[in-house]
Amino acid sequence: MTTKWDILPLPIVIEIISWLNQDSVTDLSLVSKQLNNIIANEPGNKNKIIPVFEIRGNSAWKFANKLRHHFLSNSTANQLQVYQLMRFNDVHKFGRNDAPIPHPTQLLHILKNVQMKGITTLDISSPFPTCCTNWILSYILPNILPQLRGVDFSNTDISDGILQRFSQFCPHLEKITLQNNNNTFGISLSGYSMCSSKNLKEINMDDTVFYMYDRIADLNNHQEMFLFYQCCRALQFKFVRNAPPVLRLLRSDLTPENMRMLRLERPGIELVN
């Protein structure tokens, strides 16, 4: 295996690495010292291994207390700052065995002065649709991740209130992914829950339940109210008809006739079906 990689020119090796996901890049780094060095140190390689802080278990109490314990030591606290991605396994089970059930203020008190400033991406998604994602966990995470730029809530039942906390406490948030959210209360199409996210550029909410006001659907009398109009300052990916110039891409299940109409009205938008 090593011999085969040795005969490949470096640009080709870097190109191959660029197409790999994180798990594959990690596996490849174990093949040989040469590949490990290319992945870790070669300036031309942009697909580096991202340090992952992975949480297993199902207790919010244990999560808060263990994290606080790590921050009691300056050296351990500094080591935790190198992680860039926080990922929860079996998030749908989180908090089920907690007794007594903690109140968010109790956990926030335990986590006072605890911040992981290196984390820029949070994966709190579930591998399958669930209606029991622990809202307490979602409530406290924005307080400890001030540099967060991307969060994935896919297949969970988070509400507008949780989105609003991430919007308020994570000022650098740029991307929100929320696929297959079937929360009974839905997410507001006005974008009110994300209005504090001044840097928000991308939202992905396919197959998510929304609620809306009649005025948003009334394009004749309320043209200033469109989908996600309250959080559109920097938004690049959204579904709106009367949108500001930042709209560049629209993915939807529109009919060919509607797509032709939109191309005439907004020729600068790339339409993807």
Side-chain angles (χ1 to χ4, degrees), residues 60-61 63-69 71 104-115 137 140-141 143-144:
W61 284 116
F63 168 71
N65 280 295
K66 284 187 176 181
L67 196 56
R68 177 179 178 272
H69 175 75
F71 272 79
T105 55
Q106 293 175 299
L107 298 180
L108 289 177
H109 178 72
I110 294 173
L111 294 169
K112 185 179 180 180
N113 299 324
V114 171
Q115 290 190 331
L137 179 65
I140 65 175
L141 286 174
N143 291 71
I144 64 176

Side-chain angles (χ1 to χ4, degrees), residues 160 163 167 187-197 200 203 210-211 216 226-232:
D160 257 358
L163 276 181
S167 179
I187 303 296
S188 173
L189 277 178
S190 71
Y192 171 76
S193 58
M194 300 173 284
C195 64
S196 297
S197 297
L200 189 62
I203 58 174
F210 296 97
Y211 68 87
I216 293 180
F226 44 82
L227 278 67
F228 303 118
Y229 74 94
Q230 294 201 46
C231 65
C232 69

Side-chain angles (χ1 to χ4, degrees), residues 24-234:
S24 297
V25 172
T26 301
D27 291 341
L28 187 62
S29 69
L30 302 176
V31 171
S32 69
K33 292 182 179 180
Q34 177 207 19
L35 285 170
N36 183 282
N37 184 62
I38 292 175
I39 293 171
N41 304 313
E42 176 57 46
N45 175 42
K46 305 302 181 183
N47 194 7
K48 306 289 186 182
I49 296 176
I50 298 174
V52 179
F53 188 78
E54 191 169 78
I55 295 95
R56 300 176 184 271
N58 54 18
S59 171
W61 284 116
K62 289 184 178 179
F63 168 71
N65 280 295
K66 284 187 176 181
L67 196 56
R68 177 179 178 272
H69 175 75
H70 290 318
F71 272 79
L72 293 178
S73 166
N74 288 334
S75 60
T76 306
N78 290 334
Q79 290 175 12
L80 290 177
Q81 303 304 327
V82 305
Y83 292 100
Q84 300 175 30
L85 167 64
M86 177 181 284
R87 180 166 60 205
F88 284 79
N89 288 335
D90 300 323
V91 68
H92 60 288
K93 299 178 182 178
F94 217 86
R96 285 188 179 183
N97 296 333
D98 280 327
I101 298 175
H103 191 275
T105 55
Q106 293 175 299
L107 298 180
L108 289 177
H109 178 72
I110 294 173
L111 294 169
K112 185 179 180 180
N113 299 324
V114 171
Q115 290 190 331
M116 297 182 67
K117 297 181 179 180
I119 299 292
T120 58
T121 305
L122 171 65
D123 184 354
I124 196 172
S125 64
S126 172
F128 49 84
T130 178
C131 60
C132 54
T133 298
N134 187 269
W135 70 272
I136 297 176
L137 179 65
S138 302
Y139 189 93
I140 65 175
L141 286 174
N143 291 71
I144 64 176
L145 305 176
Q147 299 298 323
L148 195 66
R149 284 171 169 75
V151 58
D152 188 348
F153 299 107
S154 294
N155 285 319
T156 67
D157 64 345
I158 69 158
S159 63
D160 257 358
I162 295 299
L163 276 181
Q164 190 171 2
R165 281 191 60 80
F166 275 88
S167 179
Q168 290 176 340
F169 289 93
C170 303
H172 305 288
L173 196 61
E174 297 178 352
K175 179 179 179 180
I176 295 175
T177 302
L178 180 57
Q179 317 280 21
N180 303 307
N181 177 286
N182 294 312
N183 191 319
T184 304
F185 300 102
I187 303 296
S188 173
L189 277 178
S190 71
Y192 171 76
S193 58
M194 300 173 284
C195 64
S196 297
S197 297
K198 306 305 181 184
N199 296 302
L200 189 62
K201 297 179 180 178
E202 180 177 348
I203 58 174
N204 297 297
M205 295 186 175
D206 291 350
D207 300 313
T208 288
V209 174
F210 296 97
Y211 68 87
M212 65 184 293
Y213 302 106
D214 292 341
R215 288 176 295 178
I216 293 180
D218 187 354
L219 298 179
N220 293 322
N221 299 316
H222 298 281
Q223 295 188 16
E224 78 286 358
M225 295 183 179
F226 44 82
L227 278 67
F228 303 118
Y229 74 94
Q230 294 201 46
C231 65
C232 69
R233 178 174 298 184

